[in-house]
């Protein structure tokens, strides 16, 4: 039985493209022929539900009642190379952390990869078992072998908040940090990021938002075409365990092959 790699996509502040990155990551992994599930792990915002136009009839709680197979939104409905587990119908449920934990553990036995679009994290949330960060992400990272793909901006507050969050988590063996350069801003050199992230996270490159990125988002696409992914995204896939050879040739890797067309 497969035991999927679980990766939480988060950051120390808002507005750095966490949900977009999580969706792109799930799409890239699916395009690399890995059976991938994307979990909407921001219960208050539920960006994936809004972006993918998922109805309220699909919700986290129903996975515990009707089973994961019936709760998942399949690729034909997400428009990407991944299945989606939507967020909770009741974002204030006292059982939310338990529901997420049980569902993600269930997905781990069904998939090759699980990507969780998580809310921001800071030291207070990391220490709070009632929050998603403290009640779901932390136990799965510390005891369940999960990893964190951490988005960090290069403006003053985004950098400071990100570094403070990484310092609170203190799991450099489990964290890969991707810098984010907004449109028109020159990316910081890698040596600067290596110095800032020393002892906090592995440096995973920079996501440069340019005209191609804008067109991709404006087209409402779930991700890049296979073989066209930027270096930071391809590197994140390999870091999660994807075969680097999956990108040697993009031929035959399109939507004609859907990883969720078979059952286990």
């Amino acid at each position: 039985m497969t035991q999927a790699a679980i990766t939480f996509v988060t950051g120390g502040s808002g507005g750095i493209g966490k949900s977009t990155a999580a969706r792109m990551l799930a799409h890239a992994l699916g395009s690399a022929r890995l059976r991938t599930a994307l979990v909407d792990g921001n219960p208050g915002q539920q960006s994936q539900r809004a972006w993918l136009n998922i109805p309220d009839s699909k919700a986290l709680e129903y996975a515990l009642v009707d089973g994961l197979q019936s709760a998942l939104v399949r690729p034909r409905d997400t428009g990407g190379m991944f299945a989606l587990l939507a967020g909770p119908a009741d974002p204030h449920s006292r059982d939310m952390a338990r529901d997420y934990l049980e569902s993600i553990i269930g997905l781990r036995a069904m998939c090759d990869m699980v990507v969780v679009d998580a809310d921001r994290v800071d030291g207070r949330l990391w220490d709070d078992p009632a929050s998603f960060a403290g009640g779901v992400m932390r136990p799965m990272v510390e005891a369940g072998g999960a990893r964190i793909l951490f988005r960090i901006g290069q403006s003053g507050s985004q950098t400071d908040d990100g570094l403070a969050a990484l310092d609170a988590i203190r799991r450099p063996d489990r964290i890969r940090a991707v810098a984010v350069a907004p449109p028109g801003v020159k990316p910081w050199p890698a040596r600067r990021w290596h110095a800032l992230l020393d002892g906090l996270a592995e440096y995973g490159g920079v996501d440069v938002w340019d005209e191609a990125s804008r067109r991709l988002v404006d087209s409402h696409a779930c991700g890049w075409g296979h073989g066209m992914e930027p270096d930071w995204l391809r590197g994140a896939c390999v870091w999660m365990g994807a075969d680097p050879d999956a990108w040697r040739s993009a031929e035959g890797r399109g939507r004609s092959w859907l990883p969720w067309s078979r059952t286990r």
Side-chain angles (χ1 to χ4, degrees), residues 35 115 163 251:
R35 189 174 166 95
V115 178
L163 293 174
E251 184 179 356

Side-chain angles (χ1 to χ4, degrees), residues 190-199:
R191 64 180 180 276
R192 181 172 183 177
W193 282 113
H194 280 293
L196 287 171
L197 296 169
D198 185 34

